[in-house]
Amino acid sequence: MSQHIAKPRTTAVILAGGTGQRVGLSIPKQLLKIAGKAVIEHTLTTFEKADSIDDVIVLMARGYVPDVEKIVAKAGFTKVKKIIEGGSTRNETTERAISALGEGLAEGEDLNVLFHDAVRPLLSRRVIDDCVAALERYQAVDVAIPSADTIIVTRTHGEDGEFITEIPDRSRLRRGQTPQAFKLSTIRRAYEVAAGDPNFQATDDCSVVLKYLPDVPIHVVAGDEYNMKVTQPVDVFIADKLFQLASTAAPEQVGEDAYRELLTGRTLVVFGGSYGIGKDIAELAESYGANVYALGRSTTGTHVENPEEVDDALSTAYAETGRIDHVVNTAGVLRIGKLAETDNATIEEALKVNYLAPVQIARSSYKYLAETGGQLLLYTSSSYTRGRAEYSLYSSTKAAMVNLTQALSDEWAGDGIRVNCINPERTATPMRTKAFGQEPSGSLLSSEAVARTSLDVLLSELTGHVIDVRQQDPTAGAAQASGFEQALATVLDRQDGM
């Protein structure tokens, strides 16, 4: 009678022992905040959500273990079982991890182990799953991508500088990434053999297996271009931009009952609720049982640029329902024209409605949202990444919404308030029709689609994110492609987007 063989446990080892010297920081680069969170928190989030990972241990730079403990506690990561100090070298850090992994194992028991650089925060769950799957057949697995650049081998000749000695065939060259995955018994044995080499030194773990266990094949899993390592100062900027540009998947609720369960009895205040996206959000939320206050100049006489009216609207909603769970601001004005030819009244209107009003709404909403652990939802435009001629007021104020979102999500995280920003592609709204007239049918995203994604974001645990809503996405914005691919597509599309 055959016996069922249990699958080995899979542990992710997050290697976070580096310092921030190469990026000119006084703290380790894995603690640097990108897109509102520490780099290592982004990395840990991916492993926390990966079904193929059972538990996680972190090897942190000396003196900074308490910082990671605080991040783990605050984020509620349940898979992180140990946080220990790393060594002075990569090899020493891995050896400490191997020792920690062996504690409590029964004789003959083995583990799947994934070693991952903490400063690769854009890792996808697809790569993680592929590594774990490969360990069912192989003892060692690396992650790599083809080299887009020609690689040259050089030699230095004194004061004359470097000269090419070889140009390898690029078709066979790969750029190594992490995770690197192993059976624990394999990587432990490789390091035991390496310990007998007085000149042992390696910058990654696959090279240790390759050199000291040459009979063990190392399988290669396809990596991702966006699985970049934050090492140089420019990497900090690029990673932040990728987080900023990449669509974040708005979690879809499972069936109509989920919407009703999460919205019944909740209070939703919508500024800009007279028409367009705001009106659609209000009607949708109300259909699922929410107490909705749809406020607008043409319906309730609410002027978002007037702080007193904003305060009154919020206090009324709170007095009547005893709570405010979500505050949404879709109000905005679009004025096109050359800045030098724009009068003061138009400039003042754009700044008051598109910038000062959201700031005031955020400030006034704080005390109510802190009480419920609610969410503030703002809106930007697809032109926020680069200002365009004759859109200077609109583009600049919409860029400010992204920065406001990221800043407040960080500032209010301790109070349990989430802050996100919706970035719709060109959308059929009365504001757009007023500015551009009638446009070809089918060329614009529907306001209903944006409203549906907005509701999904409000009911999610996301914070600090810019969520793209794209017409070609049949789920109206729920991201399916990789973050890098979405970021690239977004950049290409924004030359026309509003």
Side-chain angles (χ1 to χ4, degrees), residues 146-154 164 166-171 173 175:
S147 174
D149 298 316
T150 296
I151 305 299
I152 63 174
V153 179
T154 67
I164 293 177
E166 183 184 354
I167 302 179
D169 180 3
R170 190 174 69 183
S171 67
L173 297 177
R175 290 160 49 201

Side-chain angles (χ1 to χ4, degrees), residues 263 267-269 324-328 369 374-375 418 458-459:
L263 284 168
T267 299
L268 178 71
V269 179
I324 295 178
D325 299 274
H326 306 293
V327 176
V328 177
L369 296 177
Q375 182 174 164
R418 288 158 290 130
L458 285 174
L459 301 181

Side-chain angles (χ1 to χ4, degrees), residues 83-94:
I83 304 169
I84 57 181
E85 283 195 345
S88 57
T89 65
R90 168 65 180 265
N91 301 147
E92 186 181 339
T93 297
T94 299

Side-chain angles (χ1 to χ4, degrees), residues 420-471:
N420 290 295
C421 191
I422 298 292
N423 177 33
E425 196 177 32
R426 294 175 302 171
T427 306
T429 63
M431 182 181 77
R432 184 174 179 89
T433 301
K434 183 178 179 180
F436 298 101
Q438 291 296 326
E439 297 175 88
S441 175
S443 66
L444 302 177
L445 187 66
S446 72
S447 60
E448 293 87 352
V450 180
R452 174 69 66 171
T453 296
S454 299
L455 207 60
D456 286 340
V457 173
L458 285 174
L459 301 181
S460 76
E461 293 303 312
L462 295 175
T463 188
H465 289 273
V466 177
I467 297 91
D468 280 354
V469 188
R470 304 172 63 78
Q471 186 180 15

Side-chain angles (χ1 to χ4, degrees), residues 56-103:
V56 178
I57 69 171
V58 180
L59 278 292
M60 187 58 190
R62 292 177 180 175
Y64 290 95
V65 167
D67 295 83
V68 181
E69 290 174 339
K70 290 177 183 176
I71 289 172
V72 169
K74 184 176 177 181
F77 294 134
T78 60
K79 290 184 180 180
V80 179
K81 305 304 182 185
K82 294 180 182 178
I83 304 169
I84 57 181
E85 283 195 345
S88 57
T89 65
R90 168 65 180 265
N91 301 147
E92 186 181 339
T93 297
T94 299
E95 288 169 347
R96 291 190 180 192
I98 291 171
S99 177
L101 289 166
E103 296 174 2

Side-chain angles (χ1 to χ4, degrees), residues 292-459:
V292 179
Y293 291 79
L295 308 162
R297 180 177 302 185
S298 60
T299 51
T300 62
T302 305
H303 297 71
V304 293
E305 63 271 32
N306 187 323
E308 289 76 20
E309 293 185 23
V310 169
D311 285 338
D312 289 345
L314 290 168
S315 62
T316 297
Y318 184 79
E320 293 179 357
T321 67
R323 61 188 299 140
I324 295 178
D325 299 274
H326 306 293
V327 176
V328 177
N329 178 46
T330 66
V333 294
L334 173 58
R335 299 292 181 257
I336 304 170
K338 297 178 180 179
L339 183 62
E341 299 171 2
T342 304
D343 58 50
N344 288 335
T346 301
I347 293 173
E348 187 173 339
E349 178 197 37
L351 291 177
K352 282 185 174 180
V353 175
N354 291 351
Y355 180 68
L356 292 179
V359 168
Q360 177 60 30
I361 289 169
R363 188 175 67 167
S364 298
S365 301
Y366 169 79
K367 61 182 179 181
Y368 303 112
L369 296 177
E371 190 174 295
T372 58
Q375 182 174 164
L376 171 66
L377 189 61
L378 303 174
Y379 288 74
T380 186
S381 157
S382 56
S383 62
Y384 79 84
T385 56
R386 182 176 175 83
R388 297 163 54 197
E390 300 190 16
Y391 293 84
S392 58
L393 291 174
Y394 188 72
S395 294
S396 58
T397 53
K398 289 304 179 180
M401 289 306 96
V402 173
N403 288 328
L404 182 63
T405 295
Q406 294 169 339
L408 290 181
S409 69
D410 191 16
E411 190 173 316
W412 292 354
D415 302 301
I417 304 174
R418 288 158 290 130
V419 187
N420 290 295
C421 191
I422 298 292
N423 177 33
E425 196 177 32
R426 294 175 302 171
T427 306
T429 63
M431 182 181 77
R432 184 174 179 89
T433 301
K434 183 178 179 180
F436 298 101
Q438 291 296 326
E439 297 175 88
S441 175
S443 66
L444 302 177
L445 187 66
S446 72
S447 60
E448 293 87 352
V450 180
R452 174 69 66 171
T453 296
S454 299
L455 207 60
D456 286 340
V457 173
L458 285 174
L459 301 181

